[in-house]
Amino acid sequence: MTGMTDFITTARWVDVWTIWFVLVDDAYQALERRHGRWRRTGPPPRFHDSEVITVALIIDTWFHGHEALGLSFLRQYHRHLFPHLPPDGWFNQRRTRLGPLIEQIRQVITRQYGLIAADDPDRLIDSAPIPVATYQRAGDNRTVNGSAYFGIMSSRRAKLFGFRMHLTTTTRGVVETWLLAPAGMHDSQVMPVVLEGASKRVVLGDGAYHNPTAAPVLAARQVVVHAPPRRDSRKREPWSDELRRWVGKVRRRIETALSVLTTVFNVECPHARSLRGLVCRISTRILAYTLSFITGALLAQLIES
């Protein structure tokens, strides 16, 4: 069976990078036509923003986020593709500043290629831990600080200091929305924020997202969240065994999406030293994951032509 990320090891890297640059640049230009130039002052840089984002995608996909290693590899073996690649420090600064734009580009590509059908109301919701430091050294961390960032990874029976990435996907696994919340916040507290802009949705989540108090607010926007009741409320809100099995089967699709983001794109190890850098790197890896849905088909077209 062919996986959606097999191209990382089977296809020519240059072909994939070229496709990704074209996709990113097209979305970048579409945003500029709609909102105006991203850069309002000064001459345009020799190394375009679309190239910065493409190199960031390469680093986070093929080099697990090791920026210095990825830049050194590109300078040594692919200088002809990126002849104006800036020094490491300058590249890092430009990449970090482009973090908000990377997420906008992902949304544009998702719409342009119809990855989420307009009439599809079904969504899945889940979360993944994003550590920013070991639990023992959490008190010395300068990126974030405070008791809100101390949490527990119950599935791993381990403690966590940092964030949890909450995301919603379609039943195909395409990411629609995501956000970072302090690890100390319970999933049920974050759920209304994740679904803040949603309307006419049916959302499936695990028991951690069971929040009856948020139901009336969501119902006003025709958003219904189905999450297995907690143990202390199962008698009041019983679910049949058949329904629980069906929900568990469907929810495996978002667990697969999180597994790909974790094992292939290393989203749980962003290698960031600032909060802006953390957001930028996670945005880049979710963009790379989204591009994987269309890369295989575009590579096949390239080979045929």
Side-chain angles (χ1 to χ4, degrees), residues 22-149:
V22 172
L23 293 172
V24 168
D25 193 55
D26 286 349
Y28 183 97
Q29 293 182 31
L31 286 169
E32 283 201 325
R33 287 192 297 269
R34 182 175 181 180
H35 301 290
R37 290 183 55 194
W38 177 259
R39 294 178 173 272
R40 303 297 175 89
T41 60
R46 298 178 68 191
F47 197 68
H48 194 269
D49 290 341
S50 298
E51 293 180 280
V52 175
I53 296 172
T54 302
V55 171
L57 288 167
I58 293 170
I59 290 170
D60 285 348
T61 303
W62 278 270
F63 298 94
H64 293 284
H66 295 287
E67 202 167 85
L69 178 62
L71 293 173
S72 176
F73 178 87
L74 293 176
R75 290 192 186 98
Q76 184 171 358
Y77 297 105
H78 297 282
R79 182 177 290 274
H80 63 290
L81 294 177
F82 307 102
H84 304 299
L85 189 62
D88 292 13
W90 290 8
F91 174 83
N92 182 271
Q93 290 180 17
R94 287 192 57 190
R95 174 190 184 178
T96 301
R97 291 171 184 168
L98 290 171
L101 185 62
I102 292 172
E103 171 58 16
Q104 293 182 52
I105 285 174
R106 183 192 70 83
Q107 295 177 18
V108 169
I109 292 173
T110 300
R111 289 194 300 269
Q112 285 180 340
Y113 285 84
L115 297 181
I116 300 178
D119 58 350
D120 180 11
D122 299 326
R123 297 293 183 269
L124 308 173
I125 186 170
D126 209 338
S127 66
I130 308 291
V132 298
T134 61
Y135 202 83
Q136 291 75 14
R137 301 182 63 182
D140 299 326
N141 188 270
R142 297 184 180 181
T143 302
V144 293
N145 208 333
S147 59
Y149 298 95

Side-chain angles (χ1 to χ4, degrees), residues 151-171:
I152 296 175
M153 298 180 284
S154 56
S155 61
R156 305 181 190 181
R157 298 182 180 180
K159 296 180 180 179
L160 167 68
F161 176 78
F163 298 88
R164 293 194 70 85
M165 179 183 70
H166 299 263
L167 73 165
T168 61
T169 73
T170 65
T171 53

Side-chain angles (χ1 to χ4, degrees), residues 228-294:
R230 300 172 189 168
R231 292 183 179 180
D232 59 357
S233 62
R234 285 183 180 179
K235 292 182 179 179
R236 296 193 304 270
E237 305 173 68
W239 276 32
S240 66
D241 293 340
E242 183 180 357
L243 179 59
R244 288 180 182 275
R245 284 194 296 269
W246 178 80
V247 170
K249 181 179 179 180
V250 175
R251 284 201 66 261
R252 290 193 191 102
R253 298 171 186 176
I254 192 171
E255 293 170 357
T256 299
L258 287 171
S259 177
V260 173
L261 281 166
T262 300
T263 58
V264 179
F265 298 103
N266 215 29
V267 74
E268 293 185 4
C269 301
H271 299 291
R273 296 184 179 181
S274 68
L275 185 56
R276 288 178 63 189
L278 177 73
V279 174
C280 174
R281 281 155 179 76
I282 292 177
S283 299
T284 304
R285 294 170 196 198
I286 295 178
L287 172 58
Y289 170 79
T290 302
L291 290 172
S292 299
F293 283 89
I294 54 180

Side-chain angles (χ1 to χ4, degrees), residues 186-189 205-211 227-228 230:
H186 195 271
D187 292 352
S188 61
Q189 297 176 285
D206 60 18
Y209 288 98
H210 185 70
N211 185 352
R230 300 172 189 168

